[in-house]
C-alpha cells in the first residue's frame, strides 16, 4: 500500500474519531478506533523491523512502535493518533521530496523518442522507433527528436544535443555527420540513415543509466542507521529517568512521542537523491548514492591519457625528409596519396593536414594494405611503402626508429622520411588538475598504454606528477589494486573499451562521454555526458556537498529531538503537543536535505 493511501486512511479514521468524541460525546468509540489502527500499524512496523534485523541492519522502528503503544496504554490516544499521522505523513513527504529531487532524471524517460518516419518505396510511413532497422532511410522533421543514432544523407541544419550533453548551444550538422537519438532537430528537414537499433542507440543507453541510478540503493542509509542505536538508547534513558524520578508512566510516553526517528529515516536518502539530481543537471549520471559517498572521500584519481587527458584526435606534428631529393611537401604528398582510402586514424590525420595545405593526391596503383603494418603501391614503377619501420624497410636499423607516434615511407626499400603525430591536450585539463589539488586530492596519476616519453610530456603539460606508461589493461588493474589503503578510495577516469576493466576495479569508475565506448559507460559508476574533463572535479564537489548536507540534516534532526526529549522529561510538554513537534523535526530535516539539489 502506498504511503499516501495509508495517510488518507489514517486521516479518515481521525475524522471519524473526532466526530465520535466531540459531536456524539463518545470517547470510548474514539479510543477504540484509534487504538485499533495504532495496534495494526504497530504490528505492521514490527514485522518490518524484524525483516530489517534479519538482513543484518538496525533501524529505528522500535522507537516509533514504543511511542504508539506507550501513549495508548497511558490513555493518551490522541497523542498516539498524532504520532501515526506524523509517521505516515513523513513517509509521504519523503515520497514527494524524492520525486521532486528526481524530477530531472525522470525528464529523460518522459522525452524518449518514440516514433520515426521511414521512407519505403518512395512513401513516408510513420512507425514506432523500436521498429527502425539498421540501414533504414528516415525523415526527421523540424522540431522532432532523432529516433535512433543515424548519419545525415541529405540536408543540413542545427541540432540541439542538450538532452545528452548538457550543451545548450545547437550544433551545426551537415551530410555525413552523425546525429544521436534523443537530440532535437532544428528548423530544417533532414534525411538520415539508421546506424543502430533504438535499444542500442545513445538515448536508450542514457535512459538505462538513469534507471540504474533510480534503482540502486544508497549505502548511506545504513550509515544513518548507525546513529539509530545510540539515539534509541538515549531516548529510552531519558524516558526511563523521567518516569523513575516523577513516578508517572505518562512522562515515559511524553518523552518517547518526541523521539522522532524521521531524521534518520528520511534525511540521508532525500539528500542523496537530491545530489544525484544536481549531478544529472550538470551532465553527470551517478548510478547510486553509494558512489557519491565514495567519491566524496576520494584520495587518488587515475587518468587514462588518450581521449581523457587528451582529445584523442592525433594531428601531424613534424614532416621529416631523410633524402635531399624529396621535400617535406613531397613526403606528405606521397604518404597521403597512398593512405587516401584508408580508415586508419593516422591516415585520417594525414589527409586532414594535406587538405589544409591544399595538396592534391598522386596516382598510385596496385595499392595493397597489410593490416597492422601499413600500405604499399606503385608510383612511376617504384615500390612505395608507408607504415611501420619494419614494414617499409626490410633491413631497418633500430637506430632509425623515432621515439614518437609516426609513419615511415620508403621507395624501393630506401627510407626517405617520416611523419610524426601528437595528441592535443584538452584545453580544460590543466585547470581540472588545479581544481582537484584545491580539493586536497594531490595523488593524481596517469595510467596509459602509450610510450613513456609521450606520456611524460602530456602528464607534465597537464600537471600530473605520477606517470605509469606502456601498461596493458591487466597492468592498470594491478596498479589500482595495489594502491595503499591510505590513498583510497581510488577513482579511475577513462573513455575507451580498454579502460572498462580498470573502471570496474576502481572504487569509483568515471567514463568520459556516454557517446564513447559502450563498455566503458556500462562498467563505470559515473558517466560524464559532455566531453568535458572539468566535470570530474565538478562531480567531486557535488559529492562532497551532498555528503556534508546529508550528515548535517541527520545531526540537526537528532539535536532537535534530544532537546525536545529533555523538555518533555520535565512534564511541561503534553504528549499531544510533543507528537505535533515531530512535524517540526521532519520538516527541518527534509528541507535541509533538499539543499543538496541546488
Amino acid at each position: 500500500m502506498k504511503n499516501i493511501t495509508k495517510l488518507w486512511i489514517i486521516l479518515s479514521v481521525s475524522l471519524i474519531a473526532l466526530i465520535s468524541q466531540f459531536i456524539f460525546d463518545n470517547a470510548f468509540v474514539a479510543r477504540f478506533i484509534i487504538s485499533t489502527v495504532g495496534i495494526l500499524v504497530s504490528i505492521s512496523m514490527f514485522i518490518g523491523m524484524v525483516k530489517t534485523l534479519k538482513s543484518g541492519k538496525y533501524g529505528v522502528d522500535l522507537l516509533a512502535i514504543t511511542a504508539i503503544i506507550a501513549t495508548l496504554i497511558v490513555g493518551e490516544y490522541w497523542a498516539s493518533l498524532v504520532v501515526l499521522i506524523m509517521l505516515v505523513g513523513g513517509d509521504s513527504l519523503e515520497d514527494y521530496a524524492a520525486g521532486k529531487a528526481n524530477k530531472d532524471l525522470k525528464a529523460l524517460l518522459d522525452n524518449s523518442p518514440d516514433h520515426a518516419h521511414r521512407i519505403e518505396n518512395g512513401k513516408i510511413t510513420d512507425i514506432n522507433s523500436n521498429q527502425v532497422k539498421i540501414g533504414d532511410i528516415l525523415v526527421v522533421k523540424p522540431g522532432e527528436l532523432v529516433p535512433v543514432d543515424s548519419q545525415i544523407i541529405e540536408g543540413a541544419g542545427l541540432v540541439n544535443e542538450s538532452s545528452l550533453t548538457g550543451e545548450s548551444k545547437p550544433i551545426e550538422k551537415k551530410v555525413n555527420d552523425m546525429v544521436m537519438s534523443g537530440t532535437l532537430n532544428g528548423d530544417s528537414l533532414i534525411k538520415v540513415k539508421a546506424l543502430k537499433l533504438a535499444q542500442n542507440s545513445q538515448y536508450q543507453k542514457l535512459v538505462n543509466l538513469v534507471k540504474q541510478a533510480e534503482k540502486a540503493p544508497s549505502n548511506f542509509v545504513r550509515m544513518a542507521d548507525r546513529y539509530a542505536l545510540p539515539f534509541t538508547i538515549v531516548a529510552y534513558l531519558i524516558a526511563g529517568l523521567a518516569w523513575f524520578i516523577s513516578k508517572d508512566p505518562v512522562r515515559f510516553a511524553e518523552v518517547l512521542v518526541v523521539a522522532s526517528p524521521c531524521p534518520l529515516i528520511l534525511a540521508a536518502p532525500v539528500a542523496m537523491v537530491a545530489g544525484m539530481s544536481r549531478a544529472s543537471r550538470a551532465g553527470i549520471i551517478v548510478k547510486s548514492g553509494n558512489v557519491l559517498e565514495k567519491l566524496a572521500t576520494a584520495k587518488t584519481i587515475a587518468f587514462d591519457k588518450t581521449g581523457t587527458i587528451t582529445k584523442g584526435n592525433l594531428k601531424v606534428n613534424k614532416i621529416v625528409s631523410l633524402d635531399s631529393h624529396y621535400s617535406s611537401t613531397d613526403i606528405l604528398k606521397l604518404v597521403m596519396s597512398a593512405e587516401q582510402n584508408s580508415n586508419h586514424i593516422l591516415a585520417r590525420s594525414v589527409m586532414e593536414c594535406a587538405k589544409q595545405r591544399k595538396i592534391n593526391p598522386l596516382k598510385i596503383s596496385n595499392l595493397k594494405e597489410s593490416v597492422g603494418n601499413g600500405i604499399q603501391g606503385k608510383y612511376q614503377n617504384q615500390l612505395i611503402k608507408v607504415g611501420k619501420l619494419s614494414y617499409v624497410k626490410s633491413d631497418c636499423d633500430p637506430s632509425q626508429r623515432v621515439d614518437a607516434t609516426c609513419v615511415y615511407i620508403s621507395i624501393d626499400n630506401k627510407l626517405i622520411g617520416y611523419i610524426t603525430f601528437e595528441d592535443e591536450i584538452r584545453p580544460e585539463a590543466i585547470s581540472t588538475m588545479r581544481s582537484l589539488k584545491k580539493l586536497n586530492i594531490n595523488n593524481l596519476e596517469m595510467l596509459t598504454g602509450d610510450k613513456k616519453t609521450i606520456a611524460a610530456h602530456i602528464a607534465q603539460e597537464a600537471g600530473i606528477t605520477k606517470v605509469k606508461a606502456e601498461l596493458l589493461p591487466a597492468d592498470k588493474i594491478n596498479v589500482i589494486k595495489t594502491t595503499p589503503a591510505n590513498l583510497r578510495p581510488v577513482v579511475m577516469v577513462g573513455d575507451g573499451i580498454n579502460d572498462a576493466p580498470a573502471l570496474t576495479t576502481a572504487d569509483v569508475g568515471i567514463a568520459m562521454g556516454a557517446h564513447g565506448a559502450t563498455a566503458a559507460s556500462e562498467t563505470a559508476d559515473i558517466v560524464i555526458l559532455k566531453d568535458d574533463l572539468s566535470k570530474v572535479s565538478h562531480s567531486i564537489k557535488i559529492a562532497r556537498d551532498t555528503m556534508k548536507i546529508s550528515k548535517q540534516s541527520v545531526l540537526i534532526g537528532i539535536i532537535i529531538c534530544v532537546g525536545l526529549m529533555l523538555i518533555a522529561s520535565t512534564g511541561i510538554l503534553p504528549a499531544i503537543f510533543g507528537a505535533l513537534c515531530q512535524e517540526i523535526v521532519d520538516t527541518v530535516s527534509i528541507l535541509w536535505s533538499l539543499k543538496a539539489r541546488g
Side-chain angles (χ1 to χ4, degrees):
M1 188 184 296
K2 292 183 178 180
N3 289 319
I4 190 65
T5 305
K6 290 181 182 179
L7 181 60
W8 278 114
I9 291 173
I10 292 176
L11 289 176
S12 300
V13 168
S14 303
L15 181 61
I16 295 171
L18 285 168
I19 292 172
S20 299
Q21 180 157 341
F22 297 104
I23 294 180
F24 295 104
D25 195 26
N26 194 331
F28 174 79
V29 173
R31 183 171 183 174
F32 176 79
I33 292 172
I34 294 171
S35 298
T36 302
V37 173
I39 291 169
L40 289 174
V41 171
S42 297
I43 292 172
S44 173
M45 292 179 67
F46 182 78
I47 293 171
M49 184 183 70
V50 171
K51 289 180 180 178
T52 301
L53 291 171
K54 283 183 177 180
S55 65
K57 306 172 190 175
Y58 180 82
V60 289
D61 290 338
L62 185 59
L63 271 177
I65 295 171
T66 309
I68 294 169
I69 299 300
T71 47
L72 289 175
I73 290 174
V74 299
E76 295 284 352
Y77 51 93
W78 288 110
S80 179
L81 180 62
V82 173
V83 172
L84 286 170
I85 293 173
M86 292 304 105
L87 282 172
V88 180
D91 289 340
S92 301
L93 187 59
E94 178 193 11
D95 292 344
Y96 168 77
K100 186 173 178 61
N102 215 19
K103 180 179 65 176
D104 301 286
L105 297 179
K106 290 183 177 179
L108 289 167
L109 304 177
D110 297 335
N111 293 325
S112 297
D114 57 3
H115 68 278
H117 311 297
R118 182 165 61 194
I119 299 178
E120 297 178 292
N121 300 321
K123 295 182 180 180
I124 297 177
T125 305
D126 290 344
I127 59 173
N128 189 285
S129 58
N130 291 325
Q131 295 176 287
V132 175
K133 298 176 182 177
I134 295 174
D136 280 353
I137 306 301
L138 309 172
V139 170
V140 184
K141 298 177 182 178
E144 289 188 337
L145 295 173
V146 177
V148 297
D149 290 357
S150 312
Q151 184 177 34
I152 298 177
I153 59 172
E154 185 179 319
L158 298 175
V159 175
N160 190 327
E161 298 182 342
S162 60
S163 61
L164 294 178
T165 66
E167 178 59 62
S168 57
K169 183 180 179 181
I171 308 298
E172 188 173 352
K173 298 285 185 177
K174 57 186 183 301
V175 173
N176 293 328
D177 283 347
M178 295 277 296
V179 284
M180 295 180 289
S181 63
T183 56
L184 184 66
N185 186 26
D187 54 5
S188 301
L189 184 144
I190 57 174
K191 287 184 181 179
V192 300
K193 180 180 180 181
L195 300 179
K196 293 182 180 179
L197 300 176
Q199 63 264 33
N200 297 327
S201 289
Q202 181 52 48
Y203 201 88
Q204 192 57 45
K205 291 177 190 173
L206 179 55
V207 168
N208 292 335
L209 290 174
V210 171
K211 287 179 178 178
Q212 275 185 271
E214 288 181 312
K215 291 178 181 178
S218 168
N219 190 47
F220 190 76
V221 176
R222 292 194 291 274
M223 284 180 61
D225 279 344
R226 294 173 197 162
Y227 291 101
L229 184 57
F231 180 68
T232 302
I233 292 172
V234 169
Y236 281 135
L237 185 62
I238 295 173
L241 285 172
W243 184 2
F244 177 77
I245 294 171
S246 67
K247 311 299 182 183
D248 185 0
V250 174
R251 198 69 58 83
F252 180 82
E254 289 174 343
V255 172
L256 289 186
V257 293
V258 298
S260 171
C262 290
L264 303 176
I265 297 172
L266 306 182
V270 170
M272 284 300 178
V273 177
M276 290 163 67
S277 173
R278 177 183 168 190
S280 174
R281 294 201 312 277
I284 304 165
I285 293 294
V286 182
K287 295 184 181 179
S288 76
N290 189 36
V291 172
L292 281 178
E293 189 179 337
K294 291 179 182 177
L295 189 62
T297 57
K299 294 180 181 177
T300 296
I301 302 185
F303 296 89
D304 176 48
K305 182 184 77 69
T306 306
T308 303
I309 298 295
T310 64
K311 292 180 179 180
N313 298 320
L314 293 173
K315 68 173 186 177
V316 172
N317 181 28
K318 294 179 182 178
I319 304 172
V320 179
S321 173
L322 301 175
D323 189 315
S324 59
H325 295 94
Y326 300 93
S327 67
S328 60
T329 301
D330 294 332
I331 298 295
L332 177 61
K333 183 179 287 189
L334 286 166
V335 172
M336 68 89 68
S337 301
E339 296 271 29
Q340 61 182 310
N341 294 317
S342 174
N343 288 320
H344 193 276
I345 184 172
L346 298 183
R348 293 198 297 269
S349 300
V350 168
M351 294 303 298
E352 182 63 29
C353 180
K355 181 180 178 182
Q356 290 174 358
R357 299 190 184 191
K358 298 180 180 179
I359 295 176
N360 296 317
L362 302 169
K363 291 184 179 180
I364 297 180
S365 60
N366 300 324
L367 286 170
K368 184 168 63 175
E369 186 169 2
S370 174
V371 179
N373 291 304
I375 194 167
Q376 67 178 36
K378 286 279 189 176
Y379 177 66
Q380 296 180 346
N381 294 320
Q382 294 176 304
L383 178 65
I384 295 178
K385 285 188 174 183
V386 175
K388 292 181 177 179
L389 180 60
S390 58
Y391 174 72
V392 304
K393 197 170 188 300
S394 57
D395 55 345
C396 65
D397 183 351
S399 64
Q400 294 178 305
R401 192 179 304 278
V402 178
D403 193 12
T405 302
C406 69
V407 292
Y408 300 85
I409 180 170
S410 69
I411 295 182
D412 289 337
N413 204 41
K414 180 184 178 182
L415 189 66
I416 65 167
Y418 59 86
I419 299 175
T420 66
F421 303 83
E422 66 177 359
D423 196 355
E424 292 181 270
I425 189 172
R426 289 177 180 271
E428 73 277 10
I430 297 172
S431 60
T432 299
M433 301 308 150
R434 288 174 182 166
S435 297
L436 291 171
K437 288 174 182 176
K438 285 181 181 179
L439 292 169
N440 292 321
I441 302 176
N442 297 308
N443 194 43
L444 305 176
E445 300 180 344
M446 179 187 285
L447 308 181
T448 178
D450 211 340
K451 297 176 182 178
K452 291 181 180 179
T453 52
I454 297 173
H457 171 70
I458 295 295
Q460 183 179 15
E461 191 176 350
I464 298 175
T465 53
K466 294 184 179 180
V467 182
K468 293 181 174 65
E470 299 179 17
L471 301 178
L472 296 173
D475 298 324
K476 291 184 180 182
I477 291 173
N478 187 54
V479 170
I480 293 170
K481 283 184 175 180
T482 55
T483 301
N486 64 318
L487 294 177
R488 305 191 80 98
V490 178
V491 177
M492 176 69 195
V493 186
D495 78 315
I497 294 174
N498 64 318
D499 295 322
L503 294 177
T504 305
T505 305
D507 298 308
V508 177
I510 299 179
M512 289 290 297
H515 53 278
T518 304
S521 296
E522 290 182 351
T523 56
D525 302 298
I526 296 173
V527 178
I528 295 175
L529 303 181
K530 187 179 178 181
D531 210 22
D532 183 354
L533 191 64
S534 67
K535 296 291 184 182
V536 174
S537 55
H538 192 188
S539 65
I540 292 174
K541 179 70 165 58
I542 290 173
R544 289 187 178 180
D545 287 347
T546 301
M547 292 304 299
K548 180 181 177 181
I549 291 168
S550 180
K551 290 176 181 177
Q552 285 175 347
S553 59
V554 170
L555 293 174
I556 286 170
I558 288 175
I559 290 169
I560 296 174
C561 281
V562 172
L564 289 173
M565 283 190 283
L566 292 172
I567 294 171
S569 67
T570 64
I572 63 173
L573 189 64
I576 189 167
F577 290 110
L580 288 168
C581 286
Q582 281 194 3
E583 186 66 8
I584 297 173
V585 182
D586 297 349
T587 302
V588 170
S589 295
I590 290 173
L591 289 178
W592 196 274
S593 295
L594 284 173
K595 284 178 62 181
R597 188 174 183 265

